[in-house]
Amino acid sequence: MATQANSSKIFHRPELARKLAQQILHVSPTSASSSGVFLAAPRRTGKTTFMRQDLTPALVASGALVIYVDLWEDPKADPSDVIVTSIRAALAQNEPALVRLAKGWGLGGAKVGGVEFSLDRVGLGKDVSLVQALSALSETSKTIIVLIIDEAQHAITTSAGNDAMFALKSARDELNSNQHGLRVVCTGSNRDKLAMLKNSKDQAFFGAPLINFPPLGAAYVKWFCDHTDDLPARLDPDMVLPLFERSGHRPEILGAAADELRFDFALEDDGVNERFLAAVESQIAAANDDTMRVVHSLTPIQFAVLCVLAAAGERYAPFEAATLEKYRIAANRVSGAETAIEFPAVQGALVALQEKSLVWKASRGVYAIEDIGLVDLLRNGGYLDGL
Ligand SMILES: Nc1ncnc2c1ncn2[C@@H]1O[C@H](COP(=O)(O)OP(=O)(O)OP(=O)(O)O)[C@@H](O)[C@H]1O
Ligand SMILES: [Mg+2]
């Protein structure tokens, strides 16, 4: 019932889900996507909603067993624990798989189907590895397993998380060659970060395709206008679409603007569209101002490091001589004076920027801008010119 109520509040994309599911499940011999598929889209644009409400049902309808893991559900937990917990939960719902593992291992614990087995025995470095756990699930369910990892970039911020990704790679190789198959679908809000999971040979999912997840568009805007029928007049989708695009395709901006109008009791019928336009503009400005306030509170060296990283993206090399020169240019520009830049100060600035959640660091020392939207803000403000 709850799902029913929730699902009527969102706009569904069944056709996109069906196509994507097909792509994930039926891999052409000339494609690398049996390695996994990576989907990137900016923050707050509806990734999680789509994965849970549209893609999961489409995969299930095609006969797949879906395991969904959100690595941001508990940001304090080690990503490896979150992955292991979700695989244990899938096992707990599959008694034949548990019985199979218990018989194979003779492990003590709660009684399942006449044998004893404790789920604590499943995990990295435990009696039952993730490969064995997923193999048991595959053998007993006799169907392809799809593991969806939401905010997958979080996995490579800890060494246990990296280990979990390698364990999943082994499971994928085992299940794809000897069982009913395993597909790993990773999503994330930052393309640069997500790319780190697959670009280097020593990453578990080397070579997997990285796709820009299609944002919500005209069909969503029409649905939104149809569902704001409590306003005195109907919103015009042709006027709302460019506003939605300018808001970075974020449904919450439109939602907050509509709420502003709902509480404006003096609002007249013929002023609705103009008033909505102004409300969206002010929501966009407020969101940007909020981010820029944090940026303007940085020291010159922190600001310089942020801008140079934003400009370089994947090519960022924090401690190279050429990068040092760029820090100097950026810091001089903001402070209006000659600023000496030394490595310890850069190191300190990177730590401070991580603490302010502006910069993100993978466990092997590679950096990225936390929210890719900030790069556009800095670029539009002219702060990245010449860097
Ligand atoms: N298809 C949709 N129909 C209606 N509202 C939506 C839809 N998709 C997303 N939203 C709304 O947009 C907001 C962000 O959605 P969601 O959490 O799915 O995005 P996300 O990209 O996963 O965000 P994050 O980057 O924080 O993980 C939520 O308030 C959600 O209700
Ligand atoms: Mg999400």
Side-chain angles (χ1 to χ4, degrees):
M1 265 328 263
T3 318
Q4 198 63 42
N6 283 340
S7 62
S8 66
K9 284 190 187 152
I10 67 159
F11 166 74
H12 289 279
R13 289 189 280 177
E15 191 52 20
L16 177 62
R18 195 186 57 77
K19 282 190 188 147
L20 194 56
Q22 207 167 28
Q23 206 62 41
I24 291 165
L25 298 174
H26 306 288
V27 171
S28 137
T30 57
S31 161
S33 53
S34 61
S35 296
V37 176
F38 286 71
L39 296 164
R43 295 287 328 264
R44 311 308 294 159
T45 53
K47 299 177 296 295
T48 301
T49 303
F50 179 79
M51 296 300 145
R52 301 194 81 133
Q53 307 282 347
D54 292 338
L55 184 62
T56 298
L59 288 165
V60 170
S62 305
L65 174 76
V66 180
I67 305 175
Y68 173 87
V69 193
D70 184 354
L71 297 187
W72 265 358
E73 209 167 70
D74 178 1
K76 290 208 175 66
D78 191 284
S80 69
D81 292 334
V82 184
I83 292 172
V84 169
T85 304
S86 65
I87 293 174
R88 285 182 186 158
L91 277 173
Q93 287 177 6
N94 187 316
E95 199 171 302
L98 279 180
V99 170
R100 189 174 208 101
L101 286 173
K103 284 194 174 144
W105 288 83
L107 304 166
K111 264 204 174 304
V112 198
V115 287
E116 302 217 316
F117 187 76
S118 162
L119 282 171
D120 293 348
R121 303 292 179 96
V122 176
L124 298 173
K126 300 272 174 119
D127 299 320
V128 178
S129 69
L130 294 189
V131 181
Q132 287 160 330
L134 288 163
S135 291
L137 270 178
S138 181
E139 274 175 40
T140 55
S141 63
K142 299 200 183 333
T143 186
I144 190 164
I145 299 174
V146 182
L147 181 64
I148 302 179
I149 308 181
D150 204 351
E151 302 298 344
Q153 74 285 344
H154 201 48
I156 57 166
T157 56
T158 71
S159 70
N162 268 312
D163 293 348
M165 292 310 271
F166 274 97
L168 292 178
K169 171 189 185 279
S170 307
R172 175 202 72 194
D173 294 345
E174 164 66 19
L175 268 65
N176 282 349
S177 40
N178 300 323
Q179 303 271 347
H180 301 274
L182 171 68
R183 302 285 184 267
V184 180
V185 178
C186 294
T187 77
S189 36
N190 183 320
R191 214 186 144 90
D192 291 348
K193 290 183 197 170
L194 216 45
M196 288 182 202
L197 282 134
K198 47 144 267 162
N199 278 0
S200 137
K201 281 206 186 57
D202 35 87
Q203 284 300 327
F205 292 89
F206 178 63
L210 172 56
I211 302 157
N212 280 333
F213 174 64
L216 291 162
Y220 165 75
V221 167
K222 183 178 176 304
W223 174 90
F224 176 84
C225 293
D226 290 344
H227 286 76
T228 34
D229 49 4
D230 54 337
L231 296 180
R234 188 172 189 276
L235 291 171
D236 174 6
D238 291 338
M239 183 221 41
V240 178
L241 182 59
L243 287 178
F244 183 59
E245 284 166 354
R246 238 158 8 91
S247 76
H249 302 96
R250 285 176 288 174
E252 283 162 328
I253 300 256
L254 294 193
D259 281 343
E260 262 187 49
L261 269 64
R262 287 187 181 106
F263 290 99
D264 181 349
F265 301 113
L267 186 65
E268 302 283 341
D269 297 11
D270 55 359
V272 166
N273 279 288
E274 288 69 26
R275 182 74 175 74
F276 186 75
L277 191 141
V280 174
E281 299 285 5
S282 87
Q283 289 293 334
I284 296 174
N288 292 349
D289 286 354
D290 216 38
T291 312
M292 289 313 285
R293 245 194 307 278
V294 180
V295 170
H296 288 309
S297 71
L298 300 176
T299 64
I301 171 89
Q302 290 166 359
F303 185 77
V305 169
L306 183 75
C307 290
V308 172
L309 167 58
E314 270 181 79
R315 291 170 290 105
Y316 179 64
F319 304 111
E320 275 180 7
T323 317
L324 216 57
E325 176 57 19
K326 287 184 178 161
Y327 295 142
R328 205 184 56 78
I329 296 172
N332 288 355
R333 191 154 63 198
V334 61
S335 66
E338 185 60 34
T339 318
I341 310 275
E342 281 165 2
F343 285 133
V346 172
Q347 188 78 58
L350 281 166
V351 171
L353 291 167
Q354 280 173 71
E355 280 163 3
K356 292 174 191 288
S357 298
L358 293 170
V359 163
W360 175 91
K361 183 184 176 202
S363 67
R364 58 202 176 98
V366 184
Y367 294 89
I369 294 285
E370 180 69 58
D371 181 356
I372 212 75
L374 176 60
V375 180
D376 289 336
L377 272 185
L378 291 171
R379 182 167 293 123
N380 295 340
Y383 299 110
L384 307 190
D385 296 351
L387 296 180

